[in-house]
Amino acid sequence: MLSCNLYDAWGIHVDGDSVVVRITAPGGKVVLNERYYAVNGSLLLYEIGSLLEASMRSANLAYADFTFTLLDEDGETEDYCVVHTLYCDRFSVSTDTDVFLAENFLTTLGTRRVAPGSTTTLSYFAKAGEPTTATVSCLWRSTSEAETHAMTYEMPRPAMTADGIALLAVGQGDIVAMIAQEQGVEASSIELLSFTATVGQRSVTCYVDRSLRDDCSFQFRNCFNVWEVAAFPHITTAKSEVKRSTAVVNNESTFYDQSASRTYEVQTGALTYDEAEWLDQLIASHEVRRPVPDDTDDSEPYVSCKVLITDSTCEVSDGDEKPNSVKFTWRYADNRPNVRLTASKGIFTSPYNIVFS
């Protein structure tokens, strides 16, 4: 079940005056263990979905099995059931979850723009024994020609051993390398235009936008509590603020209790209706991160830092008269202004010792 469908009242028939309701998460973690007293032999439980979602967020789970157990006044088990729960913190009218999961990746954006050279990671729910071989179809052209070419290849992957979340990572570098090998040319002469990743009935199409940069993207947990990367045209304005108090000592003024902060205001370019609705999940996400360059470490050029979105405005129109746009303000979670430290990359592979003759 989708967790958004667990907000409806749960009716329980009670043989006796009271019953203990226990909900156990994976790993034996008890989410709820309370005694409830019946009225006319029954009781209603509300907000079960919010309890399960909070447990799944803390454990970074998108899918989990929760055990519901009813205990009588003597602590004996009266009844129990297992609820196979897929995280979804937004309202959905999907009445057939199996059909939805068989036809969709765990994202609401089926067509997207991606930065050149980036890797697109797609999550999906697969049942035990389901084949997970992916098919990638791409469009490309040579940098010296205007003609467009197509190529399709498969990514063999083992079948799922149990129900759960599977990941598909499609790297543009891997696609370009495969095209170059097949054509017998240098990878630098290949320009990737778009690609479509398909697993079973699931499909997502990505268009390579040369105006986007992977290091200016946002990583966030979407409404299914799985990671997605949001790369979109935008302009960022940095605003610094200093708060401090003034004291006068011996007729001389001085500052004390000083704190500095910096916020970043993002104004997106024109977005499609689907992109604007998708970015609304970024604004409401419980965890958002952003790559920060680290010039002091060649092995890890970027560090993923947590950010907080403090203010937002999302204007979405389903017509063609008005372009969609999203505006939001964010800051780093550590409450300190970010500073970029540079360092020499080094030109020697071994220590250089001057020898005088």
Side-chain angles (χ1 to χ4, degrees), residues 60-226:
N60 296 327
L61 295 175
Y63 172 77
D65 292 340
F66 290 89
T67 302
F68 286 67
T69 307
L70 302 181
L71 306 175
D72 60 17
E73 296 178 355
D74 298 327
E76 300 293 333
T77 300
E78 287 285 324
D79 199 359
Y80 79 96
C81 69
V82 177
V83 180
H84 310 291
T85 308
L86 186 72
Y87 188 100
C88 182
D89 60 9
R90 300 216 166 191
F91 172 74
S92 172
V93 295
S94 176
T95 56
D96 195 330
T97 306
D98 289 338
V99 172
F100 166 78
L101 295 177
E103 297 181 354
N104 295 272
F105 287 97
L106 295 180
T107 178
T108 59
L109 191 61
T111 302
R112 64 187 66 191
R113 290 178 278 184
V114 295
S118 61
T119 297
T120 303
T121 302
L122 301 169
S123 303
Y124 60 97
F125 178 85
K127 293 188 175 182
E130 178 181 343
T132 57
T133 297
T135 301
V136 178
S137 303
C138 60
L139 293 177
W140 62 277
R141 67 185 176 193
S142 174
T143 54
S144 60
E145 301 176 358
E147 184 179 359
T148 301
H149 307 275
M151 176 181 173
T152 301
Y153 68 94
E154 289 189 347
M155 298 174 59
R157 305 166 75 233
M160 294 288 290
T161 58
D163 295 356
I165 304 298
L167 298 178
L168 173 64
V170 182
Q172 296 181 33
D174 297 334
I175 299 177
V176 171
M178 192 164 296
I179 296 173
Q181 182 180 5
E182 183 183 80
Q183 299 296 318
V185 298
E186 294 292 333
S188 58
S189 65
I190 302 298
E191 181 182 359
L192 184 63
L193 302 177
S194 66
F195 61 90
T196 300
T198 304
V199 178
Q201 302 179 58
R202 313 170 187 90
S203 178
V204 166
T205 300
C206 301
Y207 294 93
V208 182
D209 190 338
R210 303 293 164 185
S211 66
L212 302 181
R213 292 171 49 191
D214 196 32
D215 58 352
C216 290
S217 60
F218 290 87
Q219 304 143 10
F220 70 101
R221 289 190 177 274
N222 65 9
C223 64
F224 299 104
N225 204 35
V226 297

Side-chain angles (χ1 to χ4, degrees), residues 26 62 88 116 143-144 187 192 198 235 237 259 273 277-278 286 299 330:
C88 182
T143 54
S144 60
L192 184 63
T198 304
I235 297 175
T237 304
S259 63
Y273 174 80
E277 286 286 338
W278 178 60
H286 293 277
S299 61
W330 63 273

Side-chain angles (χ1 to χ4, degrees), residues 24-38:
T24 308
K29 179 181 178 181
V30 177
V31 177
L32 177 68
N33 188 31
E34 295 289 341
R35 180 176 297 276
Y36 295 94
Y37 291 88

Side-chain angles (χ1 to χ4, degrees), residues 260-297:
S261 63
R262 175 174 292 183
T263 59
Y264 302 85
E265 186 178 86
V266 173
Q267 175 66 61
T268 69
L271 304 172
T272 65
Y273 174 80
D274 290 338
E275 286 176 327
E277 286 286 338
W278 178 60
L279 288 182
D280 187 55
Q281 297 177 38
L282 164 67
I283 294 173
S285 177
H286 293 277
E287 186 172 3
V288 182
R289 308 188 75 88
R290 182 177 172 86
V292 177
D294 183 6
D295 297 326
T296 64
D297 190 347

